[in-house]
Amino acid sequence: MKRRASRGDLARHNCLCTSLLPWGDEWRLAGKIGEVRVTVGGSFRSNNAEMLRVAALGGIGIALLPTWAVAEPLRTGALRRVLDAWEPPASTIYAVYPSNRLMSMKVRAFVDHLARCIGRAPYWDEGI
């Protein structure tokens, strides 16, 4: 029987780290028991999700990336999830615009579009 991967297994793998966040060598994972922090290390570091995705696709190591960055490779099987019971903690996207009494039609249309596309179930998460 195939053993399921666990967060403790990350220490034995080349983990692709982000230099964008202050906790780049620490992966924050959310699961049934809540949020945990796992210290990881690896030979590749980038401040760009696209570069981390390319490195993962190239077989350099394991990456912790948002689904918007890896949805298509997950759908096609080019990448696969290794910790099914864990995922990055939820994050929030904000639309920031100058506050005034009358929002321009262009800004209102854009904010409405973001809400439709990204909402609670973003379109890129379909089928993964």
Side-chain angles (χ1 to χ4, degrees):
M1 180 165 70
K2 188 175 179 181
R3 186 177 71 82
R4 290 179 57 111
S6 72
R7 61 189 166 100
D9 293 333
L10 291 174
R12 293 191 299 271
H13 292 279
N14 189 34
C15 296
L16 311 176
C17 298
T18 181
S19 58
L20 185 62
L21 302 172
W23 56 84
D25 290 343
E26 180 182 86
W27 284 2
R28 295 173 180 196
L29 303 170
K32 289 181 182 177
I33 64 169
E35 186 175 317
V36 297
R37 297 173 181 198
V38 181
T39 301
V40 297
S43 63
F44 187 84
R45 176 180 313 279
S46 177
N47 65 354
N48 184 289
E50 176 68 15
M51 291 303 300
L52 292 169
R53 182 179 72 92
V54 168
L57 284 165
I60 293 173
I62 297 173
L64 178 64
L65 291 167
T67 56
W68 59 260
V70 293
E72 191 57 31
L74 287 172
R75 273 190 213 93
T76 64
L79 290 178
R80 65 182 176 91
R81 293 179 190 262
V82 293
L83 296 173
D84 292 335
W86 300 92
E87 60 186 45
S91 60
T92 305
I93 296 175
Y94 296 94
V96 180
Y97 46 87
S99 74
N100 58 22
R101 292 174 33 161
L102 299 174
M103 184 185 305
S104 76
M105 295 287 285
K106 289 179 185 179
V107 172
R108 176 81 267 157
F110 180 67
V111 171
D112 290 345
H113 173 73
L114 287 177
R116 278 191 306 278
C117 291
I118 298 174
R120 296 205 183 273
Y123 70 89
W124 58 79
D125 280 357
E126 292 178 19
I128 59 170

